[in-house]
Amino acid sequence: GVAEMLKISLVCDSELFEKIIQSTPLEIGNSQKIIQHCIKLKQSVVKQDPFDKNYRHILNFGHTIGHALESIAMKKGQELLHGQAVASGIYYTLDLCNNLPKETTNKIKQYIAQYYTIQQIDNVQELFNYMNSDKKTINNEYNFVLLEEIGKASIGNKISREQIEVIIKN
C-alpha cells in the first residue's frame, strides 16, 4: 500500500510527497494521518471521474509497466507484490517525464531504489507482449500517465516502443 501512497502523492499532492520521502515505508504504513489523507485524495479522484473515462486515469501512474512486470513474475511462478511492481513501474516511467527537472526525477528514483527492489527487465519482448494486452494500449501506442510536476500528472501521453526501450536499457 505504501507504493500506492507514494503514487497518489506524486500525481495529486506535492506537500504529501515531501512528507513521504522524509519517512520510511514502515513509518508511512503506520501513519493514520498519511493513510487517511491518501484515502481522501483517491476518493476525490474517483468522485471526479466515477466511470474511469478521463481524470481518474492519473491513478494508473507507474501501472503500465508495473502490471506487465506482475504478469511476467506470475508466468515465472515468482512472487511479486503489487506495490513492488508499481514502484518499479514508477521508477522506469520517471525517465519519460520530460517536464520534471532531473534533480526531481533523481530524488524520487533514489527514494524508490532505497526502499524497493527495482525489477530488472531481462526480456524486453516479453514486457511488450504484456503491455500490448493492457487496456491502455491502442494500435501499439502505449498510453502513459506522466508527471508534469510533483502533484500534477497528465494523461493520454502516447509513448512509442522505441522510447520505452531507451528507458529500460538505461
Side-chain angles (χ1 to χ4, degrees), residues 95-156:
D95 287 330
L96 297 170
C97 300
N98 296 326
N99 292 331
L100 277 185
K102 194 68 176 163
E103 60 271 8
T104 302
T105 298
N106 290 340
K107 181 176 171 180
I108 303 165
K109 288 178 85 171
Q110 286 171 356
Y111 181 84
I112 292 170
Q114 180 177 358
Y115 293 110
Y116 297 91
T117 302
I118 306 305
Q119 300 302 299
Q120 298 303 306
I121 300 169
D122 302 320
N123 185 334
V124 176
Q125 184 56 51
E126 186 175 33
L127 180 80
F128 282 110
N129 289 345
Y130 285 109
M131 286 176 54
N132 287 338
S133 65
D134 186 282
K135 68 181 179 182
K136 298 176 296 299
T137 299
I138 300 167
N139 297 328
N140 289 326
E141 284 191 313
Y142 303 95
N143 205 339
F144 273 73
V145 175
L146 300 178
L147 294 180
E148 297 296 320
E149 58 189 56
I150 302 299
K152 182 180 178 195
S154 64
I155 60 172

Side-chain angles (χ1 to χ4, degrees), residues 1-109:
V2 174
E4 292 285 352
M5 293 193 302
L6 172 63
K7 175 207 66 185
I8 198 79
S9 76
L10 287 168
V11 300
C12 289
D13 189 330
S14 61
E15 288 180 27
L16 175 62
F17 168 74
E18 291 301 328
K19 288 178 189 172
I20 285 177
I21 64 159
Q22 293 173 17
S23 307
T24 68
L26 184 60
E27 292 167 335
I28 297 162
N30 286 321
S31 170
Q32 285 299 110
K33 187 175 181 180
I34 292 176
I35 292 168
Q36 289 173 347
H37 186 69
C38 289
I39 290 169
K40 286 179 184 173
L41 287 171
K42 187 168 182 179
Q43 284 175 329
S44 174
V45 170
V46 172
K47 281 181 183 175
Q48 290 179 57
D49 183 11
F51 299 106
D52 198 13
K53 299 289 184 193
N54 195 358
Y55 179 66
R56 186 170 166 176
H57 293 183
I58 66 169
L59 299 177
N60 292 324
F61 181 62
H63 284 67
T64 302
I65 292 174
H67 284 156
L69 292 171
E70 283 179 300
S71 295
I72 291 168
M74 191 181 310
K75 180 181 173 192
K76 293 179 179 178
Q78 299 171 342
E79 185 175 323
L80 178 61
L81 298 174
H82 178 72
Q84 187 71 33
V86 169
S88 294
I90 291 171
Y91 185 90
Y92 288 112
T93 302
L94 285 167
D95 287 330
L96 297 170
C97 300
N98 296 326
N99 292 331
L100 277 185
K102 194 68 176 163
E103 60 271 8
T104 302
T105 298
N106 290 340
K107 181 176 171 180
I108 303 165
K109 288 178 85 171

